[in-house]
Amino acid sequence: MSVPATTTAQPLLTVDQLVVDYPGRGWRQPPVRVLKSISLDIHPGETLGLVGESGSGKTTLGRAILGLAPVTGGEIRLGGQRISNLGKRDRRALSRDVQVVFQDPYTSLNPAMTVGDILTEPLLVTGSSRADAQRRVRDLLDQVRLPADAGTRLAREFSGGQRQRIAIARALTRDPKLVVCDEPVSALDLSTQARVLDLFIEIQERTGVAYLFVTHDLSVVRHISHRVAVMYRGELVETGDAAAVTTAPDHPYTRRLLLAAPVPDPGRQAERRAARHRLAAEQAAVAG
Ligand SMILES: Nc1ncnc2c1ncn2[C@@H]1O[C@H](COP(=O)(O)OP(=O)(O)OP(=O)(O)O)[C@@H](O)[C@H]1O
Ligand SMILES: [Mg+2]
C-alpha cells in the first residue's frame, strides 16, 4: 500500500511523550506506569498500525486518545490543539472528529435497538432533523454494504461481520477525521476479516479518514497500514513504513514478534521456532 501524499503536511494527531499511570491496586500500592513516554504522529488519510504483544499498552494508547485513560504526562494534539486532559464539554465536542470501533461487535452495540436508531442517535442529539438523519442512515448503510432495509431491524439479528459493519457505520456518522480501531476484525472468521478490512480501506480512500489500527496480527497490519508502530512493555520500540517493519524490522523485539506470527507451512514453522529460540537466547545474553 502506498504512503499517502499528505505525509509531509501537518500531522492530524500528535502524541507527544505520553505517559499513562494507573493507580496501584490495594492500599499504598505505587501507581503502575502503563505507557512510558510514547511519541507518534498520524497524518490525514493515513493508517498507522499498532502492534505488540498482549499487555504492551495498545488499548491504553487508543483509550488515551479517546480521553478514556488518565494522561499523567506529555500531551495529545489533534490538528495542533491539545485534546488530552480536557473538560467533559470540550471532550464531547471532540467526538465528532475522533471515533472508535471496538473488537467485540456483540457488546459494543445495543442488541435491542434498531440499526436505524443506533445510527440516527448521534445525529439527533447534535441537532440534525429526523429527515436529514434518515437520509444519512441510508447513505451509511450503503457505504458499509448493508441492505437499505437493515435500518428497521434489531442489531441482534445480525451476524458478527454484519454487526461490525454497523459499528463502522456508527463511527462514520459525523465524518470523523480519525477512527481508533481496536482489534476490529479479531473476533471475525478469516474470510469475513478480509472483507471488513477491505471495507476499512475503501472508506478511507473515499473519505480521507485516518485510522489508528490496533491489532496483534501482523498479516492484518501489513494489509491495512501505511506505517506501523511496534509497542513493547509500554514503549514504542520501532515505527516505520509498513512493508519495511513487517518484513525487515530493525528492533530485535519486532523480529521476535514476526517470528511468532503463525505460518501455515510446518517446515517453515519449525525453522521459525528455532530462529525464535536463537534470538531469545541472544537477547537473554545481551540483557545479562
Ligand atoms: N484500568 C486499568 N487499571 C489498571 N491497569 C490497567 C488498566 N487497563 C489496563 N491496565 C494495564 O495496562 C497494561 C496494558 O494494557 P492494554 O490493555 O493497554 O494492553 P494491550 O496491548 O491492549 O493488550 P491486548 O493485546 O491483550 O489487548 C496491562 O498491564 C494492563 O493490565
Ligand atoms: Mg488491547
Side-chain angles (χ1 to χ4, degrees):
M1 184 181 253
S2 61
V3 177
T6 43
T7 35
T8 50
Q10 202 206 21
L12 171 67
L13 182 89
T14 302
V15 175
D16 192 3
Q17 300 186 30
L18 175 70
V19 177
V20 170
D21 289 343
Y22 279 116
R25 292 230 173 82
W27 192 59
R28 283 195 179 163
Q29 286 302 305
V32 186
R33 180 142 298 179
V34 176
L35 296 184
K36 307 164 186 166
S37 197
I38 300 279
S39 295
L40 57 82
D41 285 333
I42 303 180
H43 288 84
E46 182 184 41
T47 300
L48 181 70
L50 186 62
V51 292
E53 68 190 356
S54 184
S56 56
K58 305 180 298 294
T59 293
T60 304
L61 176 56
R63 289 176 61 83
I65 293 167
L66 294 160
L68 301 172
V71 172
T72 318
E75 65 175 36
I76 304 171
R77 295 186 290 274
L78 188 77
Q81 303 270 13
R82 179 173 59 83
I83 61 164
S84 45
N85 293 314
L86 291 181
K88 268 210 180 107
R89 271 236 330 255
D90 291 337
R91 188 72 234 181
R92 237 190 335 257
L94 255 182
S95 69
R96 165 167 226 124
D97 290 333
V98 185
Q99 274 294 327
V100 60
V101 175
F102 292 108
Q103 172 170 1
D104 185 354
Y106 290 93
T107 55
S108 67
L109 299 175
N110 183 339
M113 272 170 87
T114 67
V115 172
D117 286 343
I118 289 173
L119 298 180
T120 46
E121 193 180 44
L123 296 167
L124 295 176
V125 298
T126 53
S128 287
S129 73
R130 188 157 282 279
D132 281 348
Q134 277 164 357
R135 248 194 308 279
R136 180 74 181 135
V137 168
R138 280 195 294 276
D139 171 49
L140 286 164
L141 289 173
D142 183 50
Q143 280 204 41
V144 299
R145 309 273 174 261
L146 284 173
D149 70 356
T152 59
R153 288 157 60 196
L154 298 175
R156 65 162 173 254
E157 296 170 32
F158 292 86
S159 71
Q162 288 171 325
R163 287 187 201 204
Q164 210 52 327
R165 289 170 191 272
I166 299 166
I168 295 168
R170 184 181 54 181
L172 294 174
T173 38
R174 296 165 70 210
D175 282 323
K177 297 190 172 95
L178 175 72
V179 181
V180 173
C181 310
D182 194 349
E183 308 263 9
V185 298
S186 307
L188 309 176
D189 66 66
L190 278 181
S191 65
T192 312
Q193 269 192 11
R195 281 201 299 275
V196 174
L197 279 182
D198 286 340
L199 177 65
F200 273 107
I201 294 172
E202 197 188 302
I203 286 168
Q204 182 175 62
E205 284 170 355
R206 196 171 45 233
T207 64
V209 66
Y211 300 130
L212 175 68
F213 203 97
V214 175
T215 171
H216 58 262
D217 184 330
L218 281 165
S219 61
V220 166
V221 89
R222 188 180 298 141
H223 184 67
I224 195 152
S225 313
H226 299 100
R227 285 186 306 133
V228 172
V230 184
M231 284 195 76
Y232 181 61
R233 298 192 179 169
E235 292 178 82
L236 275 191
V237 294
E238 184 163 0
T239 308
D241 176 70
V245 172
T246 57
T247 52
D250 277 337
H251 195 278
Y253 168 69
T254 319
R255 259 177 267 158
R256 219 166 65 202
L257 197 68
L258 206 57
L259 293 168
V263 277
D265 176 347
R268 273 192 73 202
Q269 245 165 358
E271 237 170 71
R272 282 187 171 206
R273 204 153 39 229
R276 192 158 71 228
H277 288 149
R278 269 201 310 280
L279 248 173
E282 271 169 39
Q283 275 174 345
V286 173

